[in-house]
Amino acid sequence: MVQLDIILAAIGLLSCANTMFYYIFVAIRAKWNQHCHRSACKPIFWSLLGVSLVLAVGTATALWVLCFPFWHPVSGFICVAKFNLLLKQSRGAAPQNGMTQLGCGHSSISPMGTAASCATALAMPKVALLFLARDALPHQELWKAWLGSAAALVNTQCLRGLPCQNFGSHSWQHLQELCGSSNQSSSRSVLEQQHMFSVYVHNWPNSTAFDPDSVFHNQEVSQRVETQWGHHSLAEASRRLLQAALQDPLNQRFVLVSEDSIPLYPPATIYQQLMLEDKSRINACKLMFWRRQMNRYQKHPGFREEGITPDMWRKHWQWFALVRKHAQVVADDKTVINVFAKHCYTFQEGNKERECFSDEHYISTLLAVHGLDHETDCLGVNMHADWAHKNGSHPRSYMPEQITPGLINSLRLPLHGCNYDAAIDSSNHVFKHIDTIAERDCIGEPQPPVQSLGYQCPLFARKFPLDTVSTALDLFLEQESHGVQLLNQW
């Protein structure tokens, strides 16, 4: 059944488009009334009205198909910018200038004997998952199962830089031990058994520690602040997560994840997608139709006084995915962060509340200040959230009965050209369990082209609150019976 929100969104878009063509029609009609008799021009008027309606319906349909997930009742014209950007995106193809070898750096076979980890031996970069939470993380078991499904998976493209005559040698056996051969990995934690992701958690300083069997045990950053919704502390917490993750040189992508979010793809697919992308998933671009919330800038004059010009002001979604270069800029910043700490706050002006949220402006504005806005994807679609059914200032919270394979597939946005089956199948070819690697993987037999999802495709989704924990976990653990792949298999 077609959901009511889709119908309402289509009607809203149709109204916007039709209004535009209506004013064109009225202008033409007023001009023609000056030069012709009304009865003589009447057929022409009706013809123009018909053409306007046809164009309006076509425009609204195109905008809905491409822009519906970004729809917000107050900011519908954002779709025009999204429409233009999505036309420029090469859907389903790997981003230009991306990492054709998924970021592998090849070393000779000899250092493997002294390497401390599989990722180090293969020079295999990691994705840092940065969990921003208040207290406990409700989906701990889901994330444990998800990360656990990536155990001992290695990027076969990284193996192709190694001398194949060593295949089966003592050095190769040592690599198998490092990368998690089944008879060696029993004493390792779930995080240690997989080599794609590292995990960092920022929760309140007085939060209860995670249990020893939790995948988040001992992953809390040392310097934490007590965060509040809409407060500058959220931006500061994000910086501290980045600063901690940057200590590991293998971390090359940095993804901010909420406590109530879940992944939309298996680990290898998300890893492959992020490593193929050479731009940060954050909108730091100055777009004509992108609502940068200039009223927030204008009502807080301290920004201008401290050198943040209107051209530098940006607006982005909170949940980013940054390349290492941009993460370093954020971690090293001491100037712009202080400007936001002093001047980005909410205050009452008469009967109106003047808002400013650092977590929606700071990082993108900082990148613009450094002239790096062109190095972002101008979309920032890393985390899917349903704003069509928002609850005040928050997106929709899903209920247990709504968590189905159909929901997961719809959140993957197939109408946006997100071919999730092709991307999952592609990552299954590239990433293999170390015990199943054959000599042909080392030699490098021809493989099908790597399939990219594209920047327009979200990789995670929220909000899945506490009462959805068991339902969501069941969907992941019973993926075969549900017909949706969310965990890696071998």
Side-chain angles (χ1 to χ4, degrees):
M1 179 180 293
V2 179
Q3 294 182 356
L4 179 61
D5 61 305
I6 296 179
I7 297 174
L8 292 176
I11 292 173
L13 287 168
L14 176 61
S15 299
C16 290
N18 195 44
T19 300
M20 178 175 62
F21 289 110
Y22 169 77
Y23 282 117
I24 294 173
F25 168 74
V26 169
I28 296 174
R29 178 173 179 170
K31 186 71 175 176
W32 282 19
N33 272 341
Q34 299 175 10
H35 302 287
C36 69
H37 189 271
R38 184 176 181 86
S39 60
C41 296
K42 190 173 181 179
I44 300 176
F45 293 152
W46 283 111
S47 299
L48 281 173
L49 180 59
V51 171
S52 296
L53 287 172
V54 170
L55 290 174
V57 171
T59 303
T61 302
L63 288 172
W64 172 68
V65 169
L66 292 175
C67 303
F68 172 70
F70 309 107
W71 178 257
H72 188 285
V74 183
S75 59
F77 284 106
I78 184 180
C79 288
V80 178
K82 300 297 184 185
F83 177 77
N84 291 331
L85 283 168
L86 291 174
L87 285 180
K88 295 177 183 178
Q89 295 282 347
S90 98
R91 292 181 167 186
Q96 295 298 315
N97 303 319
M99 300 182 181
T100 56
Q101 294 299 313
L102 294 177
C104 299
H106 300 304
S107 57
S108 63
I109 198 75
S110 55
M112 284 203 303
T114 57
S117 69
C118 175
T120 303
L122 294 176
M124 186 171 158
K126 290 185 176 183
V127 173
L129 297 175
L130 315 176
F131 287 86
L132 183 57
R134 287 164 293 183
D135 193 6
L137 290 159
H139 295 284
Q140 292 187 49
E141 291 301 316
L142 185 152
W143 285 105
K144 184 176 182 179
W146 188 79
L147 289 165
S149 75
L153 289 183
V154 296
N155 182 356
T156 55
Q157 294 187 2
C158 293
L159 295 174
R160 293 171 194 173
L162 303 175
C164 289
Q165 61 269 25
N166 288 282
F167 190 85
S169 66
H170 175 74
S171 295
W172 176 261
Q173 292 173 3
H174 179 64
L175 180 63
Q176 286 183 305
E177 294 175 4
L178 286 175
C179 293
S181 184
S182 57
N183 62 342
Q184 296 288 332
S185 61
S186 58
S187 62
R188 298 174 184 169
S189 69
V190 169
L191 278 179
E192 292 171 331
Q193 291 181 46
Q194 60 82 41
H195 318 295
M196 300 180 197
F197 299 92
S198 52
V199 169
Y200 302 84
V201 178
H202 184 290
N203 50 9
W204 288 347
N206 59 350
S207 297
T208 304
F210 293 102
D211 294 334
D213 62 342
S214 170
V215 72
F216 300 108
H217 180 61
N218 287 336
Q219 302 306 311
E220 302 97 326
V221 296
S222 57
Q223 300 295 321
R224 290 176 281 170
V225 297
E226 185 168 326
T227 55
Q228 301 176 35
W229 182 89
H231 192 266
H232 177 74
S233 55
L234 291 173
E236 186 57 46
S238 299
R239 287 184 72 246
R240 297 191 182 194
L241 282 164
L242 289 169
Q243 290 167 344
L246 283 163
Q247 300 303 309
D248 185 350
L250 286 175
N251 289 332
Q252 294 296 314
R253 299 292 184 271
F254 303 81
V255 182
L256 188 65
V257 184
S258 73
E259 63 186 21
D260 55 12
S261 63
I262 64 172
L264 292 176
Y265 293 92
T269 308
I270 289 181
Y271 177 92
Q272 174 176 274
Q273 181 62 33
L274 290 171
M275 287 301 167
L276 282 170
E277 296 175 354
D278 57 358
K279 294 185 176 183
S280 289
R281 283 183 170 235
I282 187 172
N283 184 5
C285 303
K286 184 182 178 183
L287 303 172
M288 182 180 301
F289 292 102
W290 174 248
R291 197 167 59 116
R292 292 190 289 145
Q293 296 280 15
M294 292 305 301
N295 59 309
R296 295 179 180 177
Y297 175 87
Q298 293 159 358
K299 291 297 180 179
H300 296 77
F303 287 107
R304 186 189 295 270
E305 295 168 1
E306 302 219 32
I308 306 295
T309 67
D311 282 346
M312 297 173 181
W313 186 256
R314 297 292 189 271
K315 167 74 167 64
H316 64 269
W317 307 120
Q318 178 183 5
W319 311 103
F320 57 74
L322 301 181
V323 299
R324 188 176 179 93
K325 174 183 176 181
H326 297 163
Q328 194 70 60
V329 170
V330 177
D332 292 344
D333 174 50
K334 292 181 176 61
T335 303
V336 178
I337 187 66
N338 288 331
V339 174
F340 272 85
K342 287 191 292 183
H343 302 294
C344 191
Y345 55 88
T346 298
F347 66 94
Q348 199 75 22
E349 185 181 60
N351 59 355
K352 291 186 178 180
E353 195 173 57
R354 300 300 183 183
E355 300 174 333
C356 184
F357 304 124
S358 293
D359 55 297
E360 295 182 355
H361 294 280
Y362 164 60
I363 294 180
S364 55
T365 299
L366 174 65
L367 295 177
V369 167
H370 285 268
L372 301 173
D373 43 352
H374 65 286
E375 296 181 6
T376 68
D377 69 350
C378 301
L379 290 172
V381 185
N382 182 56
M383 182 81 67
H384 188 288
D386 183 0
W387 288 99
H389 293 90
K390 68 173 186 172
N391 178 20
S393 299
H394 303 278
R396 172 191 203 172
S397 290
Y398 293 101
M399 294 182 289
E401 61 269 21
Q402 294 173 317
I403 302 177
T404 64
L407 174 66
I408 298 298
N409 287 335
S410 68
L411 298 181
R412 291 169 169 175
L413 303 187
L415 290 178
H416 284 223
C418 304
N419 191 340
Y420 52 83
D421 283 333
I424 293 173
D425 186 62
S426 174
S427 63
N428 288 340
H429 280 92
V430 173
F431 294 87
K432 297 183 179 180
H433 193 283
I434 188 66
D435 289 345
T436 67
I437 299 293
E439 190 167 1
R440 62 178 179 272
D441 297 307
C442 179
I443 295 172
E445 290 185 352
Q447 295 287 338
V450 175
Q451 295 295 315
S452 168
L453 286 165
Y455 288 109
Q456 74 275 17
C457 306
L459 305 178
F460 305 88
R462 63 189 296 260
K463 302 175 66 170
F464 295 86
L466 185 61
D467 61 351
T468 65
V469 167
S470 60
T471 309
L473 180 61
D474 176 73
L475 183 63
F476 274 67
L477 296 181
E478 303 296 331
Q479 61 175 20
E480 291 186 13
S481 60
H482 290 300
V484 57
Q485 186 174 350
L486 292 162
L487 304 177
N488 281 115
Q489 300 170 307
W490 63 277

